[in-house]
Amino acid sequence: MLIKNEQVELLDLGKFKVQEFTQHLGDTAFGISLVEVVEQLKEHYNCRSKMHYLIVESNQGFFLVEGERYDVNAGDVVVVEPGKRYCLGGHVKAYSVSCPPFNPQDEVYES
């Protein structure tokens, strides 16, 4: 099976854009998305999914994971365990691989 980039809807959600490549496949063991962050997102955590981010572009991009800052560059990988608070900032474009597949209902944003 081939999933072409131009076949996947690009969702512009303001502070970030996302393309969810595996969402329509149904029962898969993991999810793959392309995420582009243009300003710092709110800190949150995922209840179920282990998140893996392969950085493809970064302009002063960073991750905050449990309060620790990681400056990232193209080629870096960031892994966030379920239940760990994190956010992204700066300009970061990354492939996100989540296991199990990402479900927005599993994300918790603290006020």
Side-chain angles (χ1 to χ4, degrees), residues 20-33:
E20 295 182 10
F21 289 91
T22 53
Q23 173 182 341
H24 67 284
L25 295 179
D27 189 25
T28 61
F30 58 89
I32 300 174
S33 301

Side-chain angles (χ1 to χ4, degrees), residues 32-91:
I32 300 174
S33 301
L34 180 60
V35 179
E36 183 173 4
V37 176
V38 294
E39 63 181 82
Q40 186 168 339
L41 301 179
K42 291 176 90 174
E43 189 173 60
H44 63 284
Y45 64 91
N46 191 292
C47 297
R48 294 181 341 113
S49 295
K50 184 174 188 175
M51 307 298 291
H52 308 77
Y53 292 91
L54 171 60
I55 312 304
V56 294
E57 291 178 17
S58 177
N59 182 3
Q60 299 181 339
F62 64 90
F63 278 69
L64 289 175
V65 181
E66 290 291 312
E68 188 166 346
R69 182 185 171 116
Y70 300 95
D71 295 322
V72 296
N73 296 301
D76 292 346
V77 174
V78 177
V79 179
V80 182
E81 297 289 338
K84 298 288 185 182
R85 293 175 295 111
Y86 75 103
C87 68
L88 297 77
H91 178 219

